Amino acid sequence: LLHDDEISEIMVNRADQIYIERHGRIEPSERVFSSEAAVLGVDVATNLVALFMGSSLALIKWAANKS
């Protein structure tokens, strides 16, 4: 997902429910996290820094691709 320039947003509802926005349309992703713990496994401090710097999308993509 990280390398797909057509994806503008990634939305994670739970480990097995990830949606992406591509060309203004939301669609389910075939990617899943290994567990709910993996979804929450992203370091909180890194997440806060990314949010303050406006990089939340990049962090979300990184987290989704990490699984």
Side-chain angles (χ1 to χ4, degrees), residues 40-65:
L40 301 174
V42 178
D43 182 45
V44 174
T46 304
N47 196 2
L48 289 173
V49 169
L51 287 171
F52 283 113
M53 296 182 73
S55 301
S56 59
L57 176 60
L59 179 63
I60 291 169
K61 284 186 173 185
W62 172 81
N65 198 42

Side-chain angles (χ1 to χ4, degrees), residues 5-55:
D5 292 333
E6 295 179 351
I7 295 176
S8 58
E9 187 172 354
I10 297 174
M11 298 149 275
V12 179
N13 291 335
R14 61 180 194 235
D16 63 346
Q17 190 177 54
I18 301 173
Y19 292 91
I20 59 173
E21 181 176 336
R22 183 180 312 189
H23 304 292
R25 300 188 71 159
I26 296 174
E27 58 188 74
S29 171
E30 294 179 5
R31 299 291 304 253
V32 297
F33 282 92
S34 58
S35 67
E36 292 298 327
V39 174
L40 301 174
V42 178
D43 182 45
V44 174
T46 304
N47 196 2
L48 289 173
V49 169
L51 287 171
F52 283 113
M53 296 182 73
S55 301

